[in-house]
């Protein structure tokens, strides 16, 4: 997958540390990306989302009128 290429320069004078040029093969990562895109495209739902009808309370005509009180919801554990 990854290769290390060592570049050599002329053979005279002082010796310097060899420069290491890293090289990474990107083919496996691109393959994985394409597989993931294909997977998500095939597994998503192509239908429209279903909408649930909501019953809204009647609008109050008199602004001074109080809204009717309902029983509080009590979760049972």
């Amino acid at each position: 997958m990854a290769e290390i290429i060592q570049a050599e320069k002329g053979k005279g004078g002082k010796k310097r540390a060899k420069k290491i040029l890293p090289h990474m093969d990107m083919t496996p990562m691109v393959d994985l990306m394409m597989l993931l895109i294909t997977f998500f495209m095939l597994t998503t739902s192509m239908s429209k989302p279903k909408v649930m009808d909501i019953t809204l309370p009647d609008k109050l005509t008199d602004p001074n009128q109080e809204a009717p009180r309902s029983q509080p919801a009590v979760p049972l554990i």
Side-chain angles (χ1 to χ4, degrees):
M1 268 198 207
E3 298 174 14
I4 297 176
I5 301 171
Q6 296 179 350
E8 288 189 35
K9 298 287 180 179
K11 297 187 176 188
K14 295 182 180 178
K15 288 190 175 184
R16 292 187 182 178
K18 294 180 182 178
K19 290 186 180 180
I20 298 174
L21 303 173
H23 178 263
M24 188 185 324
D25 187 15
M26 299 296 284
T27 305
M29 188 173 70
V30 173
D31 288 345
L32 180 64
M33 178 201 60
M34 296 305 288
L35 284 172
L36 286 173
I37 288 174
T38 306
F39 172 77
F40 287 121
M41 285 176 59
L42 294 176
T43 57
T44 56
S45 175
M46 297 295 180
S47 63
K48 281 188 169 182
K50 297 178 182 175
V51 179
M52 184 178 7
D53 293 328
I54 300 175
T55 306
L56 298 174
D58 296 332
K59 188 173 183 179
L60 298 176
T61 55
D62 184 14
N64 295 331
Q65 182 183 4
E66 267 189 45
R69 294 188 179 235
S70 62
Q71 296 291 331
V74 179
L76 299 175
I77 298 177

